[in-house]
Amino acid sequence: MDKHEARIILQSYRPGRDADDPAFAEALAVARQDPELGAWLERECELDAAISERLRQSPVPDDLCQAILAGHRSQRRASHSASTWWRSPALAWAAAMVLLLAAGIYFRDGSKARPVEQMSILAYRMAMATNLNTPFVFDVRNDEPEQLREWLAKNGICKNLELPEILRNSTAIGCKVFEYEHLKPALICFTLPDEKVVHLFVVEARAFEGSRVGPDPSLCRSDRWNACFWRNEEQVFLLLSGPDVDGGQLASIAGLGK
Amino acid sequence: MITCGKGWNKPVFQALLTEMDTEFEGVVDRFYRPLYRFALSLTRTESEAFDLTQQTFYLWATRGHQLRDASKLKSWLFTTLHREFLGSRRRGVRFPHHEVSAVEHQLPVVAPTVVNDLDGATVMETLLQVEELYRAPLMLFYLQDHSYKEIAEMLEVPIGTVMSRLARGKDQLRALLADRTRRETDKIVPLNQPRIVTGNG
């Protein structure tokens, strides 16, 4: 190995991490023999160490850890209640009592929603993806997006709904209202002009106050669905698609509507 | 022994849940910071990085039991995060693979003291301006949590490609740092320098 080749390899060398990596052994031996290369390596490592230290000090949102743990608890509650509570008659009875009590408190206090800060957008996304994975029947079928929008408004759901422009100009398939944590997320399915199908969930935004849903579309995956979510003043939008519609297309659908 | 149905043992089940929670919290506490920093280097936006990190831990909670070798946990989390990112932004074009020998170049000179004068947020902000293709290996290089073999496996490219992307990424990062330093220096006007007045002023 000559000095030139050693230098190229040593650009990737990290003294602590790669000291025992055989891929660098020969290049390091060359550097030990060559004072100029050795001095260059020393400067290189010093600069890398400085950058590394700074990057490892870069800020992480204070609420990230709590959000992950809250999402986990929320998800576990949902899956646990769905899979195990009914196996124990005693627990089922206790659950029924809790439900009755909760219903009593709920109706006594009026239609107060669950404290909004406890809503996890992650848990919501997963729940909506699960809704899509489960067979369902549309509440209403119509190929005109405007007709579905009016139907929702008439039923007191998603008033003042503003659909993204691309969806307004697409063919609708139908609409279904789900239940989620005292909310009524509405699903509208569309066939895009290029014949691909996307699914839009809309729910009132106040349920997610304090969570990190912003006006700019965020891309993610929800249980194998490509997903994009954003919000305006009144609603949170969650657009889901299969693998044939990529994140870029989802974001452009969302972005063009604003 | 944990049983359900007729043999339901609530205290033991609760203890198991608590143990699982503790384990989950331990994993989160250990890895959420480097995962978030890696996510930010991919997405470049705080909200998406936040979400991607959450999503990764969600997948760990739901599918982590499939991982039989606990020593692979760290790699599993980073690989999963990277795959989720790619999955959400799948593109028709594939990035070209450059071998390490093809990227010989001269890196811009930046003194370590220049970096020492910056804070973490500023260095991160500069890194986010590096081309997307090079940001992931660059961030994994600087996080120092992974060997090259692990980085190559995570990014699903050969080690030579990791190294060549890294070299190009370092090149870009140093150029950006040098540029930032130059601009900062240009802002400083010596007190005894005559003030140049233009236009009608």
Side-chain angles (χ1 to χ4, degrees), chain A residues 4 11-12 14 17 48 52 54 58 76 125-126 212 221 246-247, chain B residues 21 37 46 50-51 55 84 88 90 104 116 118 142 145-146 148 170:
Chain A
H4 173 72
Q11 275 178 7
S12 306
R14 298 165 297 181
R17 176 81 236 181
D48 282 337
S52 179
R54 287 293 176 270
S58 64
R76 206 192 61 190
R125 279 197 339 244
M126 292 302 164
R212 287 173 177 265
R221 296 244 286 180
D246 66 17
Chain B
D21 273 352
R37 290 178 182 127
E46 192 188 297
F50 193 98
D51 196 72
Q55 172 81 357
E84 286 298 301
S88 66
R90 195 168 289 120
E104 180 197 349
N116 288 335
L118 303 172
Y142 284 125
D145 283 327
H146 309 276
Y148 279 100
K170 282 171 88 171

PDB file of all heavy atoms in Angstrom, chain A residues 4 11-12 14 17 48 52 54 58 76 125-126 212 221 246-247, chain B residues 21 37 46 50-51 55 84 88 90 104 116 118 142 145-146 148 170:
ATOM      1  N   HIS A   4      -0.445   7.346  -0.787  1.00  0.00           N
ATOM      2  CA  HIS A   4      -1.649   7.920  -1.378  1.00  0.00           C
ATOM      3  C   HIS A   4      -2.900   7.079  -1.024  1.00  0.00           C
ATOM      4  O   HIS A   4      -3.930   7.610  -0.576  1.00  0.00           O
ATOM      5  CB  HIS A   4      -1.418   7.962  -2.889  1.00  0.00           C
ATOM      6  CG  HIS A   4      -2.597   8.364  -3.684  1.00  0.00           C
ATOM      7  ND1 HIS A   4      -3.062   9.651  -3.700  1.00  0.00           N
ATOM      8  CD2 HIS A   4      -3.414   7.637  -4.483  1.00  0.00           C
ATOM      9  CE1 HIS A   4      -4.111   9.700  -4.490  1.00  0.00           C
ATOM     10  NE2 HIS A   4      -4.355   8.497  -4.973  1.00  0.00           N
ATOM     11  N   GLN A  11      -8.906   8.505   5.820  1.00  0.00           N
ATOM     12  CA  GLN A  11      -9.931   9.555   5.940  1.00  0.00           C
ATOM     13  C   GLN A  11     -11.129   9.058   6.752  1.00  0.00           C
ATOM     14  O   GLN A  11     -11.875   9.824   7.326  1.00  0.00           O
ATOM     15  CB  GLN A  11     -10.443   9.960   4.554  1.00  0.00           C
ATOM     16  CG  GLN A  11      -9.593  11.001   3.890  1.00  0.00           C
ATOM     17  CD  GLN A  11     -10.104  11.342   2.517  1.00  0.00           C
ATOM     18  OE1 GLN A  11     -11.171  10.890   2.107  1.00  0.00           O
ATOM     19  NE2 GLN A  11      -9.351  12.139   1.800  1.00  0.00           N
ATOM     20  N   SER A  12     -11.334   7.744   6.733  1.00  0.00           N
ATOM     21  CA  SER A  12     -12.498   7.167   7.424  1.00  0.00           C
ATOM     22  C   SER A  12     -12.144   6.622   8.805  1.00  0.00           C
ATOM     23  O   SER A  12     -12.971   5.986   9.447  1.00  0.00           O
ATOM     24  CB  SER A  12     -13.083   6.027   6.591  1.00  0.00           C
ATOM     25  OG  SER A  12     -13.377   6.458   5.292  1.00  0.00           O
ATOM     26  N   ARG A  14     -11.429   6.324  12.724  1.00  0.00           N
ATOM     27  CA  ARG A  14     -11.765   6.951  14.000  1.00  0.00           C
ATOM     28  C   ARG A  14     -10.931   6.275  15.094  1.00  0.00           C
ATOM     29  O   ARG A  14     -11.127   5.076  15.351  1.00  0.00           O
ATOM     30  CB  ARG A  14     -13.260   6.774  14.302  1.00  0.00           C
ATOM     31  CG  ARG A  14     -14.157   7.426  13.266  1.00  0.00           C
ATOM     32  CD  ARG A  14     -15.596   6.948  13.370  1.00  0.00           C
ATOM     33  NE  ARG A  14     -15.706   5.504  13.098  1.00  0.00           N
ATOM     34  CZ  ARG A  14     -16.845   4.831  13.095  1.00  0.00           C
ATOM     35  NH1 ARG A  14     -17.964   5.454  13.362  1.00  0.00           N
ATOM     36  NH2 ARG A  14     -16.863   3.527  12.822  1.00  0.00           N
ATOM     37  N   ARG A  17     -12.835   4.136  17.907  1.00  0.00           N
ATOM     38  CA  ARG A  17     -13.796   3.173  17.379  1.00  0.00           C
ATOM     39  C   ARG A  17     -13.154   2.125  16.472  1.00  0.00           C
ATOM     40  O   ARG A  17     -13.491   0.951  16.521  1.00  0.00           O
ATOM     41  CB  ARG A  17     -14.848   3.974  16.593  1.00  0.00           C
ATOM     42  CG  ARG A  17     -15.898   3.205  15.883  1.00  0.00           C
ATOM     43  CD  ARG A  17     -16.992   2.775  16.786  1.00  0.00           C
ATOM     44  NE  ARG A  17     -17.160   1.343  16.717  1.00  0.00           N
ATOM     45  CZ  ARG A  17     -18.066   0.655  17.378  1.00  0.00           C
ATOM     46  NH1 ARG A  17     -18.871   1.272  18.198  1.00  0.00           N
ATOM     47  NH2 ARG A  17     -18.160  -0.632  17.263  1.00  0.00           N
ATOM     48  N   ASP A  48     -12.006  15.619  13.255  1.00  0.00           N
ATOM     49  CA  ASP A  48     -13.161  14.712  13.318  1.00  0.00           C
ATOM     50  C   ASP A  48     -13.685  14.583  14.748  1.00  0.00           C
ATOM     51  O   ASP A  48     -14.900  14.543  14.976  1.00  0.00           O
ATOM     52  CB  ASP A  48     -12.781  13.326  12.781  1.00  0.00           C
ATOM     53  CG  ASP A  48     -12.736  13.295  11.262  1.00  0.00           C
ATOM     54  OD1 ASP A  48     -13.387  14.155  10.636  1.00  0.00           O
ATOM     55  OD2 ASP A  48     -12.052  12.434  10.701  1.00  0.00           O
ATOM     56  N   SER A  52     -17.353  15.456  15.905  1.00  0.00           N
ATOM     57  CA  SER A  52     -18.115  14.375  16.539  1.00  0.00           C
ATOM     58  C   SER A  52     -18.662  14.812  17.900  1.00  0.00           C
ATOM     59  O   SER A  52     -19.843  14.588  18.216  1.00  0.00           O
ATOM     60  CB  SER A  52     -17.197  13.158  16.688  1.00  0.00           C
ATOM     61  OG  SER A  52     -17.880  12.117  17.308  1.00  0.00           O
ATOM     62  N   ARG A  54     -19.260  17.817  18.970  1.00  0.00           N
ATOM     63  CA  ARG A  54     -20.314  18.818  18.820  1.00  0.00           C
ATOM     64  C   ARG A  54     -21.629  18.175  18.371  1.00  0.00           C
ATOM     65  O   ARG A  54     -22.707  18.523  18.857  1.00  0.00           O
ATOM     66  CB  ARG A  54     -19.900  19.892  17.801  1.00  0.00           C
ATOM     67  CG  ARG A  54     -18.835  20.838  18.323  1.00  0.00           C
ATOM     68  CD  ARG A  54     -19.397  21.691  19.461  1.00  0.00           C
ATOM     69  NE  ARG A  54     -18.397  22.552  20.076  1.00  0.00           N
ATOM     70  CZ  ARG A  54     -17.630  22.225  21.111  1.00  0.00           C
ATOM     71  NH1 ARG A  54     -17.731  21.031  21.659  1.00  0.00           N
ATOM     72  NH2 ARG A  54     -16.768  23.088  21.623  1.00  0.00           N
ATOM     73  N   SER A  58     -25.577  17.928  20.067  1.00  0.00           N
ATOM     74  CA  SER A  58     -26.655  18.704  19.427  1.00  0.00           C
ATOM     75  C   SER A  58     -27.974  18.416  20.145  1.00  0.00           C
ATOM     76  O   SER A  58     -28.211  17.302  20.624  1.00  0.00           O
ATOM     77  CB  SER A  58     -26.755  18.378  17.939  1.00  0.00           C
ATOM     78  OG  SER A  58     -27.108  17.038  17.752  1.00  0.00           O
ATOM     79  N   ARG A  76     -49.968  -0.007  24.106  1.00  0.00           N
ATOM     80  CA  ARG A  76     -50.069  -1.244  24.875  1.00  0.00           C
ATOM     81  C   ARG A  76     -51.452  -1.386  25.508  1.00  0.00           C
ATOM     82  O   ARG A  76     -52.017  -2.469  25.535  1.00  0.00           O
ATOM     83  CB  ARG A  76     -48.988  -1.273  25.963  1.00  0.00           C
ATOM     84  CG  ARG A  76     -48.613  -2.679  26.357  1.00  0.00           C
ATOM     85  CD  ARG A  76     -47.799  -2.703  27.596  1.00  0.00           C
ATOM     86  NE  ARG A  76     -48.556  -2.138  28.713  1.00  0.00           N
ATOM     87  CZ  ARG A  76     -48.026  -1.864  29.877  1.00  0.00           C
ATOM     88  NH1 ARG A  76     -46.761  -2.060  30.097  1.00  0.00           N
ATOM     89  NH2 ARG A  76     -48.773  -1.367  30.845  1.00  0.00           N
ATOM     90  N   ARG A 125     -52.464   7.443  14.468  1.00  0.00           N
ATOM     91  CA  ARG A 125     -52.101   6.955  13.131  1.00  0.00           C
ATOM     92  C   ARG A 125     -52.204   5.447  13.045  1.00  0.00           C
ATOM     93  O   ARG A 125     -52.707   4.883  12.071  1.00  0.00           O
ATOM     94  CB  ARG A 125     -50.667   7.372  12.803  1.00  0.00           C
ATOM     95  CG  ARG A 125     -50.544   8.784  12.332  1.00  0.00           C
ATOM     96  CD  ARG A 125     -49.220   9.033  11.648  1.00  0.00           C
ATOM     97  NE  ARG A 125     -48.166   8.118  11.960  1.00  0.00           N
ATOM     98  CZ  ARG A 125     -47.037   8.451  12.582  1.00  0.00           C
ATOM     99  NH1 ARG A 125     -46.826   9.677  12.948  1.00  0.00           N
ATOM    100  NH2 ARG A 125     -46.107   7.550  12.809  1.00  0.00           N
ATOM    101  N   MET A 126     -51.705   4.791  14.090  1.00  0.00           N
ATOM    102  CA  MET A 126     -51.729   3.329  14.083  1.00  0.00           C
ATOM    103  C   MET A 126     -53.172   2.818  14.110  1.00  0.00           C
ATOM    104  O   MET A 126     -53.515   1.850  13.453  1.00  0.00           O
ATOM    105  CB  MET A 126     -50.954   2.784  15.292  1.00  0.00           C
ATOM    106  CG  MET A 126     -49.478   3.048  15.208  1.00  0.00           C
ATOM    107  SD  MET A 126     -48.765   2.333  13.711  1.00  0.00           S
ATOM    108  CE  MET A 126     -47.205   3.181  13.649  1.00  0.00           C
ATOM    109  N   ARG A 212     -46.959  17.318  18.163  1.00  0.00           N
ATOM    110  CA  ARG A 212     -46.133  17.869  17.096  1.00  0.00           C
ATOM    111  C   ARG A 212     -46.721  17.597  15.727  1.00  0.00           C
ATOM    112  O   ARG A 212     -46.127  16.913  14.913  1.00  0.00           O
ATOM    113  CB  ARG A 212     -44.743  17.282  17.198  1.00  0.00           C
ATOM    114  CG  ARG A 212     -43.989  17.838  18.356  1.00  0.00           C
ATOM    115  CD  ARG A 212     -42.695  17.136  18.534  1.00  0.00           C
ATOM    116  NE  ARG A 212     -41.975  17.751  19.627  1.00  0.00           N
ATOM    117  CZ  ARG A 212     -41.065  18.694  19.452  1.00  0.00           C
ATOM    118  NH1 ARG A 212     -40.750  19.107  18.279  1.00  0.00           N
ATOM    119  NH2 ARG A 212     -40.468  19.217  20.502  1.00  0.00           N
ATOM    120  N   ARG A 221     -44.450   6.183   8.160  1.00  0.00           N
ATOM    121  CA  ARG A 221     -45.093   4.932   7.791  1.00  0.00           C
ATOM    122  C   ARG A 221     -45.994   4.527   8.940  1.00  0.00           C
ATOM    123  O   ARG A 221     -45.643   4.685  10.103  1.00  0.00           O
ATOM    124  CB  ARG A 221     -44.054   3.852   7.558  1.00  0.00           C
ATOM    125  CG  ARG A 221     -43.161   4.193   6.390  1.00  0.00           C
ATOM    126  CD  ARG A 221     -43.299   3.231   5.273  1.00  0.00           C
ATOM    127  NE  ARG A 221     -42.665   1.975   5.592  1.00  0.00           N
ATOM    128  CZ  ARG A 221     -42.655   0.956   4.765  1.00  0.00           C
ATOM    129  NH1 ARG A 221     -43.255   1.046   3.600  1.00  0.00           N
ATOM    130  NH2 ARG A 221     -42.061  -0.171   5.085  1.00  0.00           N
ATOM    131  N   ASP A 246     -45.837   6.921  -3.485  1.00  0.00           N
ATOM    132  CA  ASP A 246     -44.713   7.150  -2.569  1.00  0.00           C
ATOM    133  C   ASP A 246     -44.911   8.422  -1.739  1.00  0.00           C
ATOM    134  O   ASP A 246     -45.869   9.184  -1.945  1.00  0.00           O
ATOM    135  CB  ASP A 246     -43.372   7.158  -3.309  1.00  0.00           C
ATOM    136  CG  ASP A 246     -43.247   8.339  -4.255  1.00  0.00           C
ATOM    137  OD1 ASP A 246     -44.018   9.295  -4.126  1.00  0.00           O
ATOM    138  OD2 ASP A 246     -42.366   8.292  -5.129  1.00  0.00           O
ATOM    139  N   GLY A 247     -43.990   8.613  -0.799  1.00  0.00           N
ATOM    140  CA  GLY A 247     -44.102   9.752   0.109  1.00  0.00           C
ATOM    141  C   GLY A 247     -44.109  11.089  -0.613  1.00  0.00           C
ATOM    142  O   GLY A 247     -44.828  12.011  -0.228  1.00  0.00           O
TER     143      GLY A 247
ATOM    144  N   ASP B  21     -42.167  -2.772  30.801  1.00  0.00           N
ATOM    145  CA  ASP B  21     -42.113  -1.308  30.729  1.00  0.00           C
ATOM    146  C   ASP B  21     -40.725  -0.812  31.088  1.00  0.00           C
ATOM    147  O   ASP B  21     -40.167   0.063  30.436  1.00  0.00           O
ATOM    148  CB  ASP B  21     -43.121  -0.690  31.709  1.00  0.00           C
ATOM    149  CG  ASP B  21     -44.490  -0.554  31.065  1.00  0.00           C
ATOM    150  OD1 ASP B  21     -44.586  -0.796  29.854  1.00  0.00           O
ATOM    151  OD2 ASP B  21     -45.450  -0.219  31.791  1.00  0.00           O
ATOM    152  N   ARG B  37     -30.842  12.062  16.499  1.00  0.00           N
ATOM    153  CA  ARG B  37     -29.827  12.809  15.727  1.00  0.00           C
ATOM    154  C   ARG B  37     -29.644  12.182  14.349  1.00  0.00           C
ATOM    155  O   ARG B  37     -29.483  12.893  13.350  1.00  0.00           O
ATOM    156  CB  ARG B  37     -28.505  12.844  16.505  1.00  0.00           C
ATOM    157  CG  ARG B  37     -28.608  13.730  17.739  1.00  0.00           C
ATOM    158  CD  ARG B  37     -27.340  13.755  18.566  1.00  0.00           C
ATOM    159  NE  ARG B  37     -27.555  14.600  19.750  1.00  0.00           N
ATOM    160  CZ  ARG B  37     -27.337  14.219  20.994  1.00  0.00           C
ATOM    161  NH1 ARG B  37     -26.883  12.998  21.246  1.00  0.00           N
ATOM    162  NH2 ARG B  37     -27.572  15.044  21.991  1.00  0.00           N
ATOM    163  N   GLU B  46     -37.158  18.853  12.265  1.00  0.00           N
ATOM    164  CA  GLU B  46     -37.286  18.365  13.629  1.00  0.00           C
ATOM    165  C   GLU B  46     -38.541  17.508  13.811  1.00  0.00           C
ATOM    166  O   GLU B  46     -38.496  16.447  14.428  1.00  0.00           O
ATOM    167  CB  GLU B  46     -37.325  19.556  14.587  1.00  0.00           C
ATOM    168  CG  GLU B  46     -37.171  19.175  16.027  1.00  0.00           C
ATOM    169  CD  GLU B  46     -37.419  20.344  16.953  1.00  0.00           C
ATOM    170  OE1 GLU B  46     -36.658  21.325  16.893  1.00  0.00           O
ATOM    171  OE2 GLU B  46     -38.380  20.281  17.730  1.00  0.00           O
ATOM    172  N   PHE B  50     -38.563  13.657  14.882  1.00  0.00           N
ATOM    173  CA  PHE B  50     -39.283  13.326  16.111  1.00  0.00           C
ATOM    174  C   PHE B  50     -40.209  12.124  15.851  1.00  0.00           C
ATOM    175  O   PHE B  50     -40.211  11.137  16.579  1.00  0.00           O
ATOM    176  CB  PHE B  50     -40.095  14.556  16.519  1.00  0.00           C
ATOM    177  CG  PHE B  50     -40.670  14.531  17.906  1.00  0.00           C
ATOM    178  CD1 PHE B  50     -40.036  15.184  18.945  1.00  0.00           C
ATOM    179  CD2 PHE B  50     -41.861  13.879  18.163  1.00  0.00           C
ATOM    180  CE1 PHE B  50     -40.577  15.185  20.223  1.00  0.00           C
ATOM    181  CE2 PHE B  50     -42.408  13.871  19.426  1.00  0.00           C
ATOM    182  CZ  PHE B  50     -41.772  14.522  20.467  1.00  0.00           C
ATOM    183  N   ASP B  51     -40.931  12.247  14.765  1.00  0.00           N
ATOM    184  CA  ASP B  51     -41.895  11.217  14.418  1.00  0.00           C
ATOM    185  C   ASP B  51     -41.210   9.900  14.042  1.00  0.00           C
ATOM    186  O   ASP B  51     -41.638   8.819  14.446  1.00  0.00           O
ATOM    187  CB  ASP B  51     -42.737  11.725  13.242  1.00  0.00           C
ATOM    188  CG  ASP B  51     -43.977  10.907  13.065  1.00  0.00           C
ATOM    189  OD1 ASP B  51     -44.871  11.046  13.893  1.00  0.00           O
ATOM    190  OD2 ASP B  51     -44.023  10.094  12.133  1.00  0.00           O
ATOM    191  N   GLN B  55     -41.662   6.344  15.769  1.00  0.00           N
ATOM    192  CA  GLN B  55     -42.097   5.209  14.959  1.00  0.00           C
ATOM    193  C   GLN B  55     -41.142   4.015  15.136  1.00  0.00           C
ATOM    194  O   GLN B  55     -41.566   2.872  15.232  1.00  0.00           O
ATOM    195  CB  GLN B  55     -42.127   5.644  13.485  1.00  0.00           C
ATOM    196  CG  GLN B  55     -42.371   4.552  12.479  1.00  0.00           C
ATOM    197  CD  GLN B  55     -43.840   4.215  12.348  1.00  0.00           C
ATOM    198  OE1 GLN B  55     -44.669   4.778  13.053  1.00  0.00           O
ATOM    199  NE2 GLN B  55     -44.158   3.290  11.471  1.00  0.00           N
ATOM    200  N   GLU B  84     -37.415   2.799   7.535  1.00  0.00           N
ATOM    201  CA  GLU B  84     -38.677   3.539   7.611  1.00  0.00           C
ATOM    202  C   GLU B  84     -38.562   4.857   6.857  1.00  0.00           C
ATOM    203  O   GLU B  84     -39.486   5.271   6.168  1.00  0.00           O
ATOM    204  CB  GLU B  84     -39.041   3.813   9.078  1.00  0.00           C
ATOM    205  CG  GLU B  84     -39.537   2.603   9.830  1.00  0.00           C
ATOM    206  CD  GLU B  84     -40.820   2.042   9.230  1.00  0.00           C
ATOM    207  OE1 GLU B  84     -41.818   2.762   9.150  1.00  0.00           O
ATOM    208  OE2 GLU B  84     -40.808   0.860   8.824  1.00  0.00           O
ATOM    209  N   SER B  88     -40.705   5.761   3.509  1.00  0.00           N
ATOM    210  CA  SER B  88     -41.622   6.890   3.403  1.00  0.00           C
ATOM    211  C   SER B  88     -41.254   7.811   2.251  1.00  0.00           C
ATOM    212  O   SER B  88     -42.006   8.669   1.871  1.00  0.00           O
ATOM    213  CB  SER B  88     -41.650   7.674   4.712  1.00  0.00           C
ATOM    214  OG  SER B  88     -40.398   8.283   4.930  1.00  0.00           O
ATOM    215  N   ARG B  90     -39.711   6.594  -0.787  1.00  0.00           N
ATOM    216  CA  ARG B  90     -39.178   5.729  -1.841  1.00  0.00           C
ATOM    217  C   ARG B  90     -39.119   6.495  -3.141  1.00  0.00           C
ATOM    218  O   ARG B  90     -40.055   7.174  -3.536  1.00  0.00           O
ATOM    219  CB  ARG B  90     -40.040   4.484  -1.997  1.00  0.00           C
ATOM    220  CG  ARG B  90     -39.348   3.419  -2.806  1.00  0.00           C
ATOM    221  CD  ARG B  90     -40.091   2.114  -2.688  1.00  0.00           C
ATOM    222  NE  ARG B  90     -39.944   1.515  -1.378  1.00  0.00           N
ATOM    223  CZ  ARG B  90     -40.964   1.261  -0.568  1.00  0.00           C
ATOM    224  NH1 ARG B  90     -42.183   1.572  -0.921  1.00  0.00           N
ATOM    225  NH2 ARG B  90     -40.760   0.720   0.599  1.00  0.00           N
ATOM    226  N   GLU B 104     -10.773  10.410  -4.860  1.00  0.00           N
ATOM    227  CA  GLU B 104      -9.598  11.118  -4.355  1.00  0.00           C
ATOM    228  C   GLU B 104      -9.823  12.621  -4.503  1.00  0.00           C
ATOM    229  O   GLU B 104     -10.256  13.107  -5.536  1.00  0.00           O
ATOM    230  CB  GLU B 104      -8.379  10.702  -5.165  1.00  0.00           C
ATOM    231  CG  GLU B 104      -7.128  11.386  -4.714  1.00  0.00           C
ATOM    232  CD  GLU B 104      -6.043  11.287  -5.762  1.00  0.00           C
ATOM    233  OE1 GLU B 104      -6.215  10.522  -6.716  1.00  0.00           O
ATOM    234  OE2 GLU B 104      -5.061  12.008  -5.616  1.00  0.00           O
ATOM    235  N   ASN B 116     -14.550  23.970  17.584  1.00  0.00           N
ATOM    236  CA  ASN B 116     -14.707  24.096  19.037  1.00  0.00           C
ATOM    237  C   ASN B 116     -15.434  25.382  19.428  1.00  0.00           C
ATOM    238  O   ASN B 116     -16.042  25.463  20.486  1.00  0.00           O
ATOM    239  CB  ASN B 116     -13.342  24.051  19.732  1.00  0.00           C
ATOM    240  CG  ASN B 116     -12.759  22.652  19.698  1.00  0.00           C
ATOM    241  OD1 ASN B 116     -13.502  21.667  19.602  1.00  0.00           O
ATOM    242  ND2 ASN B 116     -11.443  22.548  19.735  1.00  0.00           N
ATOM    243  N   LEU B 118     -17.941  26.533  17.836  1.00  0.00           N
ATOM    244  CA  LEU B 118     -19.359  26.420  17.466  1.00  0.00           C
ATOM    245  C   LEU B 118     -20.083  25.536  18.477  1.00  0.00           C
ATOM    246  O   LEU B 118     -19.457  24.714  19.146  1.00  0.00           O
ATOM    247  CB  LEU B 118     -19.492  25.793  16.070  1.00  0.00           C
ATOM    248  CG  LEU B 118     -18.764  26.509  14.919  1.00  0.00           C
ATOM    249  CD1 LEU B 118     -18.841  25.665  13.652  1.00  0.00           C
ATOM    250  CD2 LEU B 118     -19.384  27.875  14.682  1.00  0.00           C
ATOM    251  N   TYR B 142     -19.844  10.087  12.717  1.00  0.00           N
ATOM    252  CA  TYR B 142     -19.574  10.992  13.836  1.00  0.00           C
ATOM    253  C   TYR B 142     -20.250  10.551  15.135  1.00  0.00           C
ATOM    254  O   TYR B 142     -19.795  10.901  16.213  1.00  0.00           O
ATOM    255  CB  TYR B 142     -19.984  12.424  13.479  1.00  0.00           C
ATOM    256  CG  TYR B 142     -18.993  13.084  12.542  1.00  0.00           C
ATOM    257  CD1 TYR B 142     -19.402  13.627  11.327  1.00  0.00           C
ATOM    258  CD2 TYR B 142     -17.646  13.158  12.875  1.00  0.00           C
ATOM    259  CE1 TYR B 142     -18.491  14.228  10.468  1.00  0.00           C
ATOM    260  CE2 TYR B 142     -16.728  13.749  12.028  1.00  0.00           C
ATOM    261  CZ  TYR B 142     -17.157  14.293  10.822  1.00  0.00           C
ATOM    262  OH  TYR B 142     -16.247  14.881   9.986  1.00  0.00           O
ATOM    263  N   ASP B 145     -21.045   5.211  17.139  1.00  0.00           N
ATOM    264  CA  ASP B 145     -21.672   4.082  17.830  1.00  0.00           C
ATOM    265  C   ASP B 145     -21.515   2.766  17.062  1.00  0.00           C
ATOM    266  O   ASP B 145     -21.834   1.712  17.582  1.00  0.00           O
ATOM    267  CB  ASP B 145     -23.183   4.349  18.006  1.00  0.00           C
ATOM    268  CG  ASP B 145     -23.446   5.320  19.134  1.00  0.00           C
ATOM    269  OD1 ASP B 145     -22.669   5.292  20.104  1.00  0.00           O
ATOM    270  OD2 ASP B 145     -24.400   6.102  19.044  1.00  0.00           O
ATOM    271  N   HIS B 146     -21.081   2.857  15.814  1.00  0.00           N
ATOM    272  CA  HIS B 146     -21.119   1.664  14.963  1.00  0.00           C
ATOM    273  C   HIS B 146     -19.813   1.452  14.216  1.00  0.00           C
ATOM    274  O   HIS B 146     -19.154   2.418  13.816  1.00  0.00           O
ATOM    275  CB  HIS B 146     -22.239   1.796  13.927  1.00  0.00           C
ATOM    276  CG  HIS B 146     -23.553   2.157  14.518  1.00  0.00           C
ATOM    277  ND1 HIS B 146     -24.409   1.231  15.050  1.00  0.00           N
ATOM    278  CD2 HIS B 146     -24.141   3.360  14.707  1.00  0.00           C
ATOM    279  CE1 HIS B 146     -25.474   1.842  15.526  1.00  0.00           C
ATOM    280  NE2 HIS B 146     -25.337   3.141  15.334  1.00  0.00           N
ATOM    281  N   TYR B 148     -17.761   0.024  10.812  1.00  0.00           N
ATOM    282  CA  TYR B 148     -18.086   0.186   9.382  1.00  0.00           C
ATOM    283  C   TYR B 148     -18.932  -0.958   8.863  1.00  0.00           C
ATOM    284  O   TYR B 148     -19.781  -0.778   7.996  1.00  0.00           O
ATOM    285  CB  TYR B 148     -16.801   0.338   8.563  1.00  0.00           C
ATOM    286  CG  TYR B 148     -16.301   1.748   8.640  1.00  0.00           C
ATOM    287  CD1 TYR B 148     -15.274   2.104   9.488  1.00  0.00           C
ATOM    288  CD2 TYR B 148     -16.925   2.745   7.903  1.00  0.00           C
ATOM    289  CE1 TYR B 148     -14.866   3.408   9.598  1.00  0.00           C
ATOM    290  CE2 TYR B 148     -16.526   4.058   8.010  1.00  0.00           C
ATOM    291  CZ  TYR B 148     -15.490   4.383   8.857  1.00  0.00           C
ATOM    292  OH  TYR B 148     -15.101   5.684   8.965  1.00  0.00           O
ATOM    293  N   LYS B 170     -17.586  14.370   4.111  1.00  0.00           N
ATOM    294  CA  LYS B 170     -16.652  15.173   4.913  1.00  0.00           C
ATOM    295  C   LYS B 170     -16.179  16.377   4.114  1.00  0.00           C
ATOM    296  O   LYS B 170     -16.042  17.482   4.649  1.00  0.00           O
ATOM    297  CB  LYS B 170     -15.450  14.314   5.316  1.00  0.00           C
ATOM    298  CG  LYS B 170     -15.746  13.375   6.463  1.00  0.00           C
ATOM    299  CD  LYS B 170     -14.619  12.401   6.696  1.00  0.00           C
ATOM    300  CE  LYS B 170     -13.565  12.917   7.615  1.00  0.00           C
ATOM    301  NZ  LYS B 170     -12.587  11.861   7.992  1.00  0.00           N
TER     302      LYS B 170
END
